[in-house]
Coordinates of all heavy atoms in Angstrom, one line a residue:
M1 N -24.2 -1.8 -31.1 CA -24.9 -0.7 -30.9 C -24.5 -0.1 -29.6 O -24.6 -0.7 -28.5 CB -26.4 -1.0 -30.9 CG -27.3 0.3 -30.8 SD -28.9 -0.2 -31.3 CE -29.8 0.1 -29.7
A2 N -24.0 1.2 -29.6 CA -23.5 1.8 -28.4 C -24.5 2.9 -27.9 O -25.1 3.6 -28.6 CB -22.1 2.5 -28.6
G3 N -24.8 2.9 -26.7 CA -25.8 3.9 -26.1 C -25.0 5.2 -25.8 O -23.8 5.2 -26.0
K4 N -25.7 6.1 -25.3 CA -25.1 7.5 -25.1 C -24.1 7.5 -23.9 O -23.3 8.4 -23.8 CB -26.0 8.6 -25.0 CG -26.8 8.7 -23.8 CD -27.8 9.9 -23.8 CE -28.5 10.0 -22.5 NZ -29.4 11.2 -22.5
R5 N -24.2 6.4 -23.0 CA -23.5 6.4 -21.9 C -22.4 5.2 -22.0 O -21.7 5.0 -21.0 CB -24.2 6.2 -20.6 CG -25.0 7.4 -20.3 CD -25.6 7.3 -18.9 NE -26.2 8.5 -18.5 CZ -27.5 8.8 -18.5 NH1 -28.3 7.7 -18.8 NH2 -27.9 9.9 -18.1
A6 N -22.2 4.7 -23.1 CA -21.3 3.6 -23.3 C -19.8 4.2 -23.3 O -19.5 5.2 -23.8 CB -21.5 2.9 -24.7
G7 N -19.0 3.5 -22.6 CA -17.6 3.9 -22.4 C -16.7 2.9 -23.0 O -17.1 1.9 -23.6
V8 N -15.4 3.1 -22.8 CA -14.4 2.2 -23.2 C -14.2 1.0 -22.3 O -14.5 1.2 -21.0 CB -13.0 2.9 -23.4 CG1 -11.9 2.0 -23.7 CG2 -13.1 4.0 -24.2
R9 N -14.2 -0.1 -22.7 CA -14.1 -1.3 -21.9 C -12.9 -1.2 -21.0 O -11.7 -0.7 -21.3 CB -14.1 -2.7 -22.7 CG -15.3 -2.8 -23.6 CD -15.2 -4.1 -24.3 NE -15.2 -5.3 -23.4 CZ -16.4 -5.8 -23.0 NH1 -17.5 -5.4 -23.4 NH2 -16.2 -6.9 -22.2
R10 N -13.0 -1.7 -19.7 CA -11.9 -1.7 -18.8 C -10.7 -2.3 -19.2 O -9.6 -1.8 -18.9 CB -12.3 -2.2 -17.5 CG -13.2 -1.3 -16.7 CD -13.6 -1.9 -15.3 NE -14.5 -1.1 -14.6 CZ -14.3 -0.6 -13.5 NH1 -13.2 -0.5 -13.0 NH2 -15.4 0.2 -12.9
E11 N -10.8 -3.3 -19.9 CA -9.6 -4.2 -20.3 C -8.8 -3.4 -21.3 O -7.6 -3.6 -21.4 CB -10.0 -5.5 -20.9 CG -10.6 -6.5 -19.8 CD -11.0 -7.8 -20.4 OE1 -10.6 -8.1 -21.6 OE2 -11.6 -8.6 -19.7
T12 N -9.4 -2.6 -22.1 CA -8.6 -1.8 -23.1 C -8.1 -0.5 -22.4 O -7.2 0.0 -23.0 CB -9.5 -1.4 -24.3 OG1 -10.6 -0.6 -23.9 CG2 -10.0 -2.6 -25.0
Q13 N -8.6 -0.1 -21.3 CA -8.1 1.0 -20.6 C -6.8 0.7 -19.9 O -6.0 1.6 -19.7 CB -9.1 1.5 -19.6 CG -10.3 2.3 -20.2 CD -11.2 2.7 -19.2 OE1 -11.1 2.3 -18.0 NE2 -12.2 3.5 -19.5
A14 N -6.6 -0.5 -19.4 CA -5.4 -0.8 -18.6 C -4.1 -0.7 -19.5 O -4.1 -1.1 -20.6 CB -5.5 -2.2 -18.1
E15 N -3.2 -0.1 -18.8 CA -1.9 0.1 -19.4 C -0.9 -0.8 -18.8 O -1.0 -1.2 -17.6 CB -1.4 1.5 -19.3 CG -2.2 2.5 -20.0 CD -1.8 4.0 -19.7 OE1 -0.6 4.2 -19.1 OE2 -2.5 4.9 -19.9
G16 N 0.0 -1.3 -19.7 CA 1.0 -2.2 -19.1 C 0.8 -3.7 -19.1 O 1.3 -4.4 -18.4
G17 N -0.1 -4.1 -19.9 CA -0.3 -5.5 -20.1 C -1.7 -6.0 -19.7 O -2.6 -5.2 -19.4
H18 N -1.9 -7.2 -19.7 CA -3.2 -7.9 -19.4 C -3.5 -7.7 -17.9 O -2.6 -8.0 -17.1 CB -3.2 -9.3 -19.8 CG -4.6 -9.8 -19.9 ND1 -5.2 -10.4 -18.9 CD2 -5.4 -10.0 -21.0 CE1 -6.4 -10.9 -19.3 NE2 -6.5 -10.6 -20.6
P19 N -4.6 -7.3 -17.4 CA -4.9 -7.0 -16.0 C -4.7 -8.2 -15.1 O -4.4 -8.1 -14.0 CB -6.3 -6.5 -16.0 CG -6.8 -6.3 -17.4 CD -5.8 -6.8 -18.3
R20 N -5.2 -9.4 -15.7 CA -5.1 -10.7 -14.9 C -3.7 -11.1 -14.7 O -3.3 -11.6 -13.6 CB -5.8 -11.8 -15.5 CG -7.3 -11.6 -15.4 CD -8.0 -12.7 -16.0 NE -9.6 -12.5 -16.0 CZ -10.4 -13.2 -16.4 NH1 -10.0 -14.4 -17.1 NH2 -11.7 -13.0 -16.4
R21 N -2.8 -10.9 -15.7 CA -1.4 -11.1 -15.6 C -0.7 -10.2 -14.5 O 0.1 -10.7 -13.6 CB -0.6 -11.0 -16.8 CG -0.8 -12.2 -17.7 CD 0.2 -12.1 -18.9 NE -0.3 -13.2 -19.8 CZ 0.0 -13.1 -21.1 NH1 0.6 -12.0 -21.6 NH2 -0.4 -14.0 -21.9
T22 N -1.1 -8.9 -14.5 CA -0.6 -8.0 -13.6 C -1.0 -8.4 -12.2 O -0.2 -8.4 -11.3 CB -1.1 -6.6 -14.0 OG1 -0.8 -6.3 -15.3 CG2 -0.6 -5.5 -13.0
L23 N -2.3 -8.7 -12.1 CA -2.8 -9.1 -10.7 C -2.2 -10.4 -10.3 O -1.8 -10.6 -9.1 CB -4.2 -9.3 -10.8 CG -5.0 -9.4 -9.4 CD1 -4.6 -8.1 -8.5 CD2 -6.4 -9.5 -9.6
A24 N -1.9 -11.4 -11.1 CA -1.1 -12.6 -10.8 C 0.3 -12.3 -10.3 O 0.8 -13.0 -9.4 CB -1.2 -13.5 -12.0
G25 N 0.9 -11.4 -11.0 CA 2.3 -11.0 -10.7 C 2.3 -10.5 -9.2 O 3.2 -10.7 -8.4
F26 N 1.3 -9.5 -9.0 CA 1.3 -9.0 -7.7 C 1.0 -10.0 -6.5 O 1.7 -10.0 -5.5 CB 0.2 -7.9 -7.5 CG 0.7 -6.4 -8.1 CD1 0.0 -5.9 -9.0 CD2 1.8 -5.8 -7.6 CE1 0.2 -4.7 -9.5 CE2 2.1 -4.6 -8.1 CZ 1.4 -4.0 -9.0
A27 N 0.1 -10.9 -6.9 CA -0.2 -12.0 -5.8 C 1.0 -12.9 -5.6 O 1.2 -13.2 -4.5 CB -1.4 -12.8 -6.5
L28 N 1.7 -13.1 -6.7 CA 2.9 -13.9 -6.5 C 4.0 -13.2 -5.6 O 4.6 -13.8 -4.7 CB 3.6 -14.4 -7.9 CG 4.8 -15.3 -7.8 CD1 4.5 -16.6 -7.1 CD2 5.4 -15.4 -9.2
A29 N 4.2 -11.9 -5.9 CA 5.2 -11.2 -5.2 C 4.8 -10.9 -3.7 O 5.6 -11.1 -2.8 CB 5.3 -9.9 -5.9
I30 N 3.5 -10.7 -3.5 CA 3.1 -10.7 -2.1 C 3.2 -11.9 -1.4 O 3.6 -12.0 -0.2 CB 1.5 -10.2 -2.1 CG1 1.3 -8.7 -2.7 CG2 0.9 -10.3 -0.8 CD1 0.0 -8.3 -3.0
T31 N 2.9 -13.1 -2.0 CA 3.1 -14.3 -1.4 C 4.5 -14.5 -1.0 O 4.8 -15.1 0.1 CB 2.5 -15.4 -2.4 OG1 1.1 -15.3 -2.7 CG2 2.6 -16.8 -1.7
V32 N 5.4 -14.3 -1.9 CA 6.9 -14.5 -1.7 C 7.3 -13.6 -0.5 O 7.9 -14.2 0.4 CB 7.6 -14.2 -2.9 CG1 9.2 -14.1 -2.5 CG2 7.4 -15.2 -4.0
T33 N 6.8 -12.4 -0.4 CA 7.3 -11.4 0.6 C 6.7 -11.9 2.0 O 7.5 -11.9 3.1 CB 7.0 -10.0 0.3 OG1 5.6 -9.9 0.1 CG2 7.8 -9.6 -0.9
I34 N 5.5 -12.3 1.9 CA 4.9 -12.8 3.3 C 5.5 -14.1 3.7 O 5.7 -14.3 4.9 CB 3.3 -12.9 3.2 CG1 2.8 -11.5 2.7 CG2 2.7 -13.4 4.4 CD1 3.1 -10.3 3.7
V35 N 5.8 -15.1 2.8 CA 6.5 -16.2 3.3 C 7.9 -16.0 3.8 O 8.3 -16.5 4.8 CB 6.5 -17.3 2.1 CG1 7.5 -18.4 2.4 CG2 5.1 -17.8 1.8
A36 N 8.5 -15.0 3.0 CA 9.9 -14.6 3.6 C 9.8 -13.9 5.0 O 10.6 -14.1 5.9 CB 10.6 -13.6 2.7
W37 N 8.7 -13.1 5.1 CA 8.6 -12.5 6.5 C 8.3 -13.6 7.6 O 8.9 -13.6 8.7 CB 7.2 -11.6 6.5 CG 6.8 -11.1 7.8 CD1 7.4 -10.1 8.4 CD2 5.8 -11.6 8.5 NE1 6.6 -9.9 9.7 CE2 5.7 -10.8 9.6 CE3 4.8 -12.6 8.3 CZ2 4.8 -11.1 10.7 CZ3 3.9 -12.9 9.2 CH2 3.8 -12.0 10.4
G38 N 7.5 -14.5 7.3 CA 7.2 -15.6 8.3 C 8.5 -16.4 8.6 O 8.7 -16.7 9.8
Y39 N 9.3 -16.7 7.6 CA 10.5 -17.4 7.9 C 11.5 -16.6 8.7 O 12.1 -17.1 9.7 CB 11.2 -17.7 6.5 CG 12.5 -18.5 6.8 CD1 12.6 -19.8 7.2 CD2 13.6 -17.8 6.5 CE1 13.8 -20.5 7.4 CE2 14.9 -18.4 6.7 CZ 14.9 -19.7 7.1 OH 16.1 -20.4 7.3
L40 N 11.6 -15.3 8.4 CA 12.5 -14.4 9.2 C 12.0 -14.2 10.6 O 12.8 -14.2 11.5 CB 12.6 -13.1 8.4 CG 13.5 -13.1 7.2 CD1 13.4 -11.8 6.5 CD2 15.0 -13.5 7.6
V41 N 10.7 -14.2 10.8 CA 10.2 -14.1 12.2 C 10.6 -15.4 12.9 O 10.9 -15.2 14.1 CB 8.7 -13.9 12.2 CG1 8.1 -14.1 13.6 CG2 8.3 -12.5 11.7
W42 N 10.4 -16.6 12.2 CA 10.6 -17.9 12.9 C 12.2 -17.9 13.3 O 12.6 -18.3 14.3 CB 10.3 -19.0 11.9 CG 10.5 -20.3 12.5 CD1 10.0 -20.9 13.6 CD2 11.6 -21.2 12.0 NE1 10.5 -22.2 13.7 CE2 11.5 -22.4 12.8 CE3 12.5 -21.2 11.0 CZ2 12.3 -23.5 12.6 CZ3 13.4 -22.2 10.8 CH2 13.2 -23.3 11.6
V43 N 13.1 -17.4 12.4 CA 14.5 -17.5 12.6 C 14.9 -16.4 13.7 O 15.7 -16.7 14.5 CB 15.3 -17.0 11.3 CG1 16.7 -16.7 11.5 CG2 15.1 -18.1 10.4
A44 N 14.1 -15.3 13.7 CA 14.4 -14.3 14.8 C 14.1 -14.9 16.2 O 14.8 -14.6 17.1 CB 13.7 -13.1 14.6
I45 N 13.0 -15.6 16.3 CA 12.6 -16.3 17.6 C 13.7 -17.2 17.9 O 14.0 -17.4 19.1 CB 11.3 -16.9 17.4 CG1 10.2 -15.9 17.2 CG2 10.9 -17.8 18.6 CD1 8.8 -16.4 16.9
D46 N 14.2 -18.0 16.9 CA 15.2 -19.1 17.3 C 16.5 -18.4 17.7 O 17.1 -18.8 18.7 CB 15.5 -19.9 15.9 CG 16.4 -21.0 16.3 OD1 16.2 -21.7 17.3 OD2 17.3 -21.3 15.5
F47 N 16.9 -17.3 17.1 CA 18.1 -16.6 17.6 C 17.9 -15.9 18.8 O 18.8 -15.7 19.6 CB 18.6 -15.5 16.4 CG 19.2 -16.1 15.3 CD1 18.8 -15.7 14.0 CD2 20.2 -17.0 15.3 CE1 19.5 -16.2 12.8 CE2 20.9 -17.4 14.3 CZ 20.5 -17.1 13.0
G48 N 16.7 -15.5 19.2 CA 16.3 -14.9 20.4 C 16.6 -15.8 21.6 O 17.1 -15.6 22.6
S49 N 16.1 -17.1 21.3 CA 16.3 -18.1 22.3 C 17.8 -18.4 22.5 O 18.2 -18.8 23.6 CB 15.4 -19.3 22.0 OG 15.8 -19.9 20.9
S50 N 18.5 -18.5 21.4 CA 19.9 -18.8 21.5 C 20.7 -17.6 22.2 O 21.6 -17.9 22.9 CB 20.5 -18.9 20.0 OG 20.0 -20.1 19.4
A51 N 20.3 -16.4 21.9 CA 20.9 -15.2 22.6 C 20.6 -15.2 24.0 O 21.5 -14.8 24.8 CB 20.4 -14.0 21.9
R52 N 19.4 -15.5 24.5 CA 19.1 -15.6 25.9 C 19.9 -16.8 26.6 O 20.1 -16.7 27.8 CB 17.7 -15.7 26.2 CG 17.0 -14.5 25.7 CD 15.6 -14.3 26.2 NE 14.9 -15.6 26.3 CZ 13.8 -15.7 27.0 NH1 13.3 -14.8 27.7 NH2 13.1 -16.9 27.0
A53 N 20.3 -17.7 25.8 CA 21.1 -18.9 26.4 C 22.5 -18.5 26.5 O 23.3 -19.2 27.2 CB 20.9 -20.0 25.6
G54 N 23.0 -17.3 26.1 CA 24.3 -16.9 26.3 C 25.2 -16.7 25.1 O 26.4 -16.4 25.1
E55 N 24.7 -17.1 23.9 CA 25.5 -16.8 22.6 C 25.4 -15.3 22.3 O 24.3 -14.9 21.9 CB 25.0 -17.7 21.5 CG 25.2 -19.2 21.7 CD 24.7 -20.0 20.5 OE1 24.9 -19.4 19.4 OE2 24.1 -21.0 20.7
T56 N 26.5 -14.6 22.4 CA 26.5 -13.1 22.0 C 26.3 -12.8 20.5 O 25.8 -11.9 20.3 CB 27.7 -12.5 22.7 OG1 28.9 -13.2 22.1 CG2 27.9 -12.6 24.1
A57 N 26.8 -13.7 19.7 CA 26.7 -13.4 18.4 C 25.3 -13.6 17.9 O 24.8 -12.9 16.8 CB 27.6 -14.3 17.6
A58 N 24.5 -14.3 18.5 CA 23.1 -14.5 18.2 C 22.2 -13.2 18.3 O 21.2 -13.0 17.6 CB 22.3 -15.6 19.0
W59 N 22.7 -12.3 19.1 CA 22.0 -11.0 19.3 C 22.1 -10.1 17.9 O 21.1 -9.6 17.4 CB 22.6 -10.1 20.4 CG 22.3 -10.5 21.8 CD1 23.0 -11.2 22.6 CD2 21.0 -10.5 22.3 NE1 22.4 -11.6 23.8 CE2 21.0 -11.1 23.6 CE3 19.7 -9.9 22.0 CZ2 20.0 -11.2 24.5 CZ3 18.6 -10.0 22.8 CH2 18.8 -10.6 24.0
W60 N 23.2 -10.2 17.3 CA 23.5 -9.6 16.0 C 22.5 -10.2 14.8 O 21.9 -9.5 14.1 CB 24.9 -9.6 15.5 CG 25.8 -8.7 16.4 CD1 26.6 -9.1 17.4 CD2 25.8 -7.4 16.3 NE1 27.1 -8.0 17.9 CE2 26.7 -7.0 17.3 CE3 25.2 -6.4 15.5 CZ2 27.0 -5.6 17.4 CZ3 25.5 -5.0 15.7 CH2 26.4 -4.7 16.6
F61 N 22.4 -11.5 14.9 CA 21.7 -12.3 13.9 C 20.1 -12.0 14.2 O 19.3 -11.8 13.3 CB 21.9 -13.7 13.9 CG 23.3 -14.1 13.4 CD1 24.2 -14.8 14.1 CD2 23.6 -13.6 12.1 CE1 25.4 -15.1 13.5 CE2 24.9 -14.0 11.6 CZ 25.9 -14.7 12.3
L62 N 19.8 -11.9 15.5 CA 18.4 -11.5 15.8 C 18.1 -10.2 15.4 O 17.0 -10.0 14.8 CB 18.3 -11.6 17.4 CG 17.0 -11.0 18.0 CD1 15.7 -11.9 17.6 CD2 17.1 -10.9 19.5
G63 N 19.0 -9.2 15.5 CA 18.6 -7.9 14.9 C 18.5 -7.8 13.4 O 17.7 -7.2 12.9
L64 N 19.5 -8.6 12.7 CA 19.3 -8.6 11.2 C 18.1 -9.3 10.8 O 17.5 -8.9 9.8 CB 20.6 -9.3 10.7 CG 21.9 -8.6 10.8 CD1 23.1 -9.4 10.2 CD2 21.9 -7.3 10.0
A65 N 17.7 -10.4 11.4 CA 16.5 -11.1 11.1 C 15.2 -10.3 11.4 O 14.4 -10.3 10.5 CB 16.4 -12.5 11.8
S66 N 15.3 -9.5 12.4 CA 14.1 -8.6 12.7 C 14.0 -7.4 11.7 O 13.0 -7.2 11.2 CB 14.3 -8.0 14.1 OG 14.3 -9.0 15.1
L67 N 15.2 -6.9 11.2 CA 15.1 -5.9 10.3 C 14.7 -6.4 8.9 O 13.9 -5.8 8.2 CB 16.5 -5.1 10.1 CG 17.0 -4.2 11.2 CD1 18.4 -3.8 11.0 CD2 16.0 -3.2 11.4
G68 N 15.1 -7.6 8.6 CA 14.7 -8.2 7.3 C 13.2 -8.4 7.4 O 12.5 -8.3 6.3
A69 N 12.8 -8.9 8.6 CA 11.2 -9.2 8.6 C 10.4 -7.9 8.5 O 9.4 -8.0 7.9 CB 11.0 -9.9 10.0
I70 N 10.9 -6.8 9.1 CA 10.2 -5.6 8.9 C 10.2 -5.1 7.5 O 9.2 -4.7 7.0 CB 10.9 -4.5 9.8 CG1 10.6 -4.8 11.4 CG2 10.4 -3.2 9.4 CD1 11.5 -4.0 12.3
A71 N 11.3 -5.3 6.8 CA 11.4 -4.9 5.4 C 10.4 -5.7 4.5 O 9.9 -5.2 3.6 CB 12.9 -5.1 4.8
C72 N 10.4 -7.1 4.7 CA 9.5 -7.9 3.9 C 8.1 -7.5 4.2 O 7.4 -7.6 3.3 CB 9.8 -9.3 4.4 SG 11.3 -10.1 3.7
L73 N 7.7 -7.3 5.5 CA 6.3 -6.9 5.6 C 6.0 -5.6 5.0 O 4.9 -5.4 4.5 CB 6.1 -6.9 7.2 CG 4.6 -6.8 7.6 CD1 3.7 -7.9 7.0 CD2 4.6 -6.7 9.1
F74 N 6.9 -4.6 5.1 CA 6.6 -3.3 4.5 C 6.5 -3.5 3.0 O 5.6 -2.9 2.4 CB 7.8 -2.4 4.9 CG 7.6 -0.9 4.3 CD1 6.7 -0.2 4.8 CD2 8.4 -0.5 3.3 CE1 6.5 1.2 4.4 CE2 8.3 0.8 2.9 CZ 7.2 1.7 3.3
I75 N 7.4 -4.2 2.4 CA 7.2 -4.4 0.9 C 6.0 -5.2 0.6 O 5.4 -4.8 -0.5 CB 8.5 -5.3 0.4 CG1 9.7 -4.3 0.6 CG2 8.3 -5.7 -1.0 CD1 11.1 -4.9 0.4
G76 N 5.7 -6.1 1.4 CA 4.4 -6.9 1.2 C 3.2 -6.0 1.2 O 2.3 -6.0 0.4
L77 N 3.2 -5.0 2.1 CA 2.1 -4.0 2.3 C 2.0 -3.1 1.0 O 0.9 -2.7 0.6 CB 2.1 -3.3 3.5 CG 1.8 -4.1 4.9 CD1 2.1 -3.3 6.1 CD2 0.4 -4.5 4.8
L78 N 3.2 -2.7 0.7 CA 3.3 -1.7 -0.6 C 2.8 -2.3 -1.8 O 2.0 -1.8 -2.6 CB 4.8 -1.2 -0.7 CG 5.3 -0.2 0.1 CD1 6.7 0.1 -0.1 CD2 4.5 1.0 0.2
L79 N 3.2 -3.7 -2.0 CA 2.7 -4.5 -3.1 C 1.1 -4.7 -3.0 O 0.5 -4.7 -4.0 CB 3.5 -5.8 -3.1 CG 4.8 -5.8 -3.6 CD1 5.5 -7.1 -3.3 CD2 5.0 -5.3 -5.1
G80 N 0.7 -4.9 -1.8 CA -0.7 -5.0 -1.7 C -1.5 -3.8 -2.0 O -2.6 -3.9 -2.8
A81 N -1.0 -2.6 -1.6 CA -1.6 -1.3 -2.0 C -1.5 -1.1 -3.6 O -2.5 -0.7 -4.2 CB -1.0 -0.2 -1.3
A82 N -0.5 -1.5 -4.2 CA -0.3 -1.4 -5.6 C -1.3 -2.3 -6.3 O -1.8 -1.9 -7.4 CB 1.1 -1.6 -6.1
A83 N -1.4 -3.5 -5.9 CA -2.4 -4.5 -6.4 C -3.8 -3.9 -6.3 O -4.6 -4.0 -7.3 CB -2.3 -5.9 -5.7
L84 N -4.2 -3.4 -5.2 CA -5.5 -2.7 -5.0 C -5.7 -1.6 -6.0 O -6.7 -1.4 -6.6 CB -5.8 -2.2 -3.7 CG -5.9 -3.3 -2.5 CD1 -6.1 -2.8 -1.2 CD2 -7.2 -4.2 -2.9
R85 N -4.7 -0.8 -6.2 CA -4.7 0.3 -7.1 C -4.9 -0.2 -8.5 O -5.6 0.4 -9.4 CB -3.5 1.3 -7.0 CG -3.7 2.5 -7.7 CD -2.5 3.5 -7.6 NE -2.1 3.7 -6.1 CZ -0.8 3.4 -5.8 NH1 0.1 3.0 -6.6 NH2 -0.5 3.5 -4.6
S86 N -4.3 -1.4 -8.9 CA -4.2 -1.8 -10.3 C -5.7 -2.4 -10.6 O -6.0 -2.4 -11.8 CB -3.2 -2.9 -10.5 OG -3.7 -4.1 -9.8
I87 N -6.4 -2.8 -9.6 CA -7.8 -3.4 -10.0 C -8.8 -2.3 -9.8 O -10.0 -2.5 -10.0 CB -8.1 -4.6 -9.0 CG1 -8.1 -4.3 -7.6 CG2 -7.2 -5.8 -9.3 CD1 -8.7 -5.3 -6.8
G88 N -8.4 -1.1 -9.4 CA -9.3 0.0 -9.2 C -10.0 0.1 -7.9 O -11.0 0.9 -7.7
A89 N -9.6 -0.6 -6.9 CA -10.2 -0.5 -5.6 C -9.9 0.8 -4.8 O -10.7 1.2 -4.0 CB -9.8 -1.7 -4.7
T90 N -8.7 1.4 -5.1 CA -8.3 2.6 -4.5 C -8.0 3.6 -5.7 O -7.6 3.2 -6.8 CB -7.1 2.5 -3.6 OG1 -6.0 1.9 -4.3 CG2 -7.5 1.6 -2.3
A91 N -8.0 4.9 -5.3 CA -7.6 5.9 -6.4 C -6.1 6.2 -6.2 O -5.5 6.1 -5.2 CB -8.4 7.3 -6.1
P92 N -5.5 6.6 -7.4 CA -4.1 6.9 -7.4 C -3.9 8.3 -6.7 O -4.8 8.9 -6.4 CB -3.7 7.0 -8.9 CG -5.1 7.3 -9.6 CD -6.1 6.6 -8.8
P93 N -2.7 8.5 -6.4 CA -2.4 9.8 -5.6 C -3.0 10.9 -6.4 O -2.9 10.9 -7.6 CB -1.0 9.9 -5.4 CG -0.5 8.5 -5.5 CD -1.5 7.8 -6.4
A94 N -3.3 12.1 -5.7 CA -3.7 13.3 -6.4 C -2.7 13.9 -7.3 O -1.4 13.8 -6.9 CB -4.2 14.2 -5.4
D95 N -2.9 14.6 -8.3 CA -1.9 15.3 -9.2 C -1.5 16.5 -8.5 O -2.2 17.4 -8.0 CB -2.6 15.8 -10.4 CG -1.6 16.4 -11.5 OD1 -0.5 16.2 -11.3 OD2 -2.2 17.0 -12.4
P96 N -0.1 16.6 -8.3 CA 0.5 17.7 -7.5 C 0.4 19.0 -8.3 O 0.5 20.1 -7.6 CB 2.0 17.2 -7.3 CG 2.3 16.3 -8.4 CD 0.9 15.6 -8.6
E97 N 0.2 18.9 -9.6 CA 0.1 20.1 -10.4 C -1.3 20.8 -10.5 O -1.4 21.8 -11.1 CB 0.7 20.0 -11.8 CG 2.2 19.7 -11.7 CD 2.8 19.3 -13.1 OE1 2.1 19.4 -14.1 OE2 3.9 18.9 -13.1
A98 N -2.2 20.0 -10.0 CA -3.7 20.5 -10.1 C -3.8 21.6 -9.1 O -3.2 21.7 -8.1 CB -4.6 19.3 -9.7
P99 N -4.7 22.6 -9.5 CA -4.9 23.7 -8.6 C -5.7 23.2 -7.3 O -6.4 22.3 -7.3 CB -5.8 24.7 -9.4 CG -6.5 23.7 -10.5 CD -5.5 22.8 -10.7
P100 N -5.3 24.0 -6.2 CA -6.0 23.5 -5.0 C -7.5 23.8 -5.0 O -8.1 24.5 -5.6 CB -5.3 24.3 -3.9 CG -4.8 25.5 -4.6 CD -4.5 25.0 -6.0
R101 N -8.2 22.9 -4.2 CA -9.7 23.1 -4.2 C -10.0 24.3 -3.4 O -9.4 24.5 -2.3 CB -10.3 21.9 -3.6 CG -10.3 20.7 -4.5 CD -10.9 19.4 -3.8 NE -12.3 19.8 -3.6 CZ -13.0 18.9 -2.8 NH1 -12.6 17.8 -2.4 NH2 -14.3 19.2 -2.6
P102 N -11.0 25.0 -3.8 CA -11.4 26.2 -3.0 C -12.0 25.8 -1.7 O -12.8 24.8 -1.7 CB -12.5 27.0 -3.8 CG -12.9 25.9 -4.7 CD -11.9 24.9 -5.0
P103 N -11.9 26.5 -0.4 CA -12.5 26.0 0.7 C -13.9 26.2 0.8 O -14.5 27.3 0.1 CB -11.7 26.9 1.8 CG -11.2 28.2 1.0 CD -11.0 27.6 -0.4
G104 N -14.6 25.4 1.4 CA -16.0 25.6 1.6 C -16.8 24.8 0.8 O -18.1 24.5 1.1
G105 N -16.4 24.2 -0.5 CA -17.2 23.4 -1.3 C -18.2 24.2 -2.1 O -18.2 25.3 -2.3
R106 N -19.2 23.3 -2.5 CA -20.2 23.9 -3.5 C -21.2 24.9 -2.7 O -21.6 25.9 -3.4 CB -21.0 22.9 -4.1 CG -20.3 22.1 -5.2 CD -21.2 21.1 -5.9 NE -20.8 19.9 -5.3 CZ -21.6 18.7 -5.5 NH1 -22.6 18.8 -6.4 NH2 -21.2 17.6 -5.0
R107 N -21.5 24.7 -1.6 CA -22.4 25.6 -0.8 C -21.9 27.0 -0.7 O -22.5 28.0 -0.8 CB -22.9 25.0 0.5 CG -23.8 23.7 0.3 CD -24.4 23.4 1.5 NE -25.2 24.3 2.2 CZ -25.8 24.3 3.3 NH1 -25.6 23.3 4.1 NH2 -26.6 25.2 3.7
A108 N -20.5 27.0 -0.5 CA -19.9 28.4 -0.2 C -19.7 29.1 -1.5 O -19.7 30.3 -1.5 CB -18.7 28.2 0.5
A109 N -19.7 28.4 -2.6 CA -19.6 29.0 -4.0 C -20.8 29.7 -4.4 O -20.7 30.5 -5.3 CB -19.1 28.0 -4.9
R110 N -22.0 29.4 -3.9 CA -23.2 30.1 -4.3 C -23.3 31.5 -4.0 O -22.9 32.1 -3.3 CB -24.4 29.4 -3.6 CG -24.7 28.0 -4.4 CD -26.1 27.5 -3.8 NE -25.8 26.2 -3.3 CZ -26.7 25.7 -2.5 NH1 -27.9 26.2 -2.3 NH2 -26.4 24.5 -2.0

C-alpha cells in the first residue's frame, strides 16, 4: 500500500550498479591513493636528506616524488568528492543549460 508521498526507493534510483559496490570501489581507490601518497611523502623525505648530504641526482628524485605525492593527494580528494556525491551527501553540479535564477529571490518577485 503506497501513500500519496511514497516515492521510488533509493536503491532503484541509483544508476551504474549496486550502491554498496560503488561505494566500496570508491573506498578502495581512495585507500590506494592515500597509501601511495604516504609512501611518496616518505620517499621524498628520504631523497631530501640524501640531497642535502650532497647527492645532486637526489634533487630530481625529490622533485618527482613531490609531484607524485601532490597528484595522489589530488586524485584522492577528487575520489572522495565523487564518493560523497554517489551517496547523496552533496549535490551534483548545476545544469549549464538551465536558465539563470532571477535576482532578488521570492520577495522581489512579489
Side-chain angles (χ1 to χ4, degrees):
M1 183 165 120
K4 74 177 185 180
R5 290 194 174 99
V8 180
R9 297 183 67 91
R10 286 184 186 245
E11 291 181 12
T12 59
Q13 288 178 348
E15 295 177 11
H18 200 271
R20 288 187 185 169
R21 282 191 190 152
T22 304
L23 193 57
F26 278 126
L28 181 66
I30 291 168
T31 302
V32 167
T33 57
I34 299 304
V35 167
W37 170 79
Y39 176 73
L40 286 170
V41 167
W42 180 69
V43 168
I45 291 170
D46 188 42
F47 282 134
S49 63
S50 298
R52 291 192 328 160
E55 293 184 40
T56 56
W59 287 107
W60 290 101
F61 292 125
L62 169 65
L64 288 174
S66 298
L67 288 175
I70 291 169
C72 283
L73 188 60
F74 183 69
I75 291 169
L77 289 173
L78 286 178
L79 288 169
L84 288 175
R85 192 174 316 124
S86 75
I87 63 171
T90 59
D95 184 18
E97 296 178 4
R101 292 180 56 188
R106 281 187 263 172
R107 289 189 66 186
R110 282 194 242 164

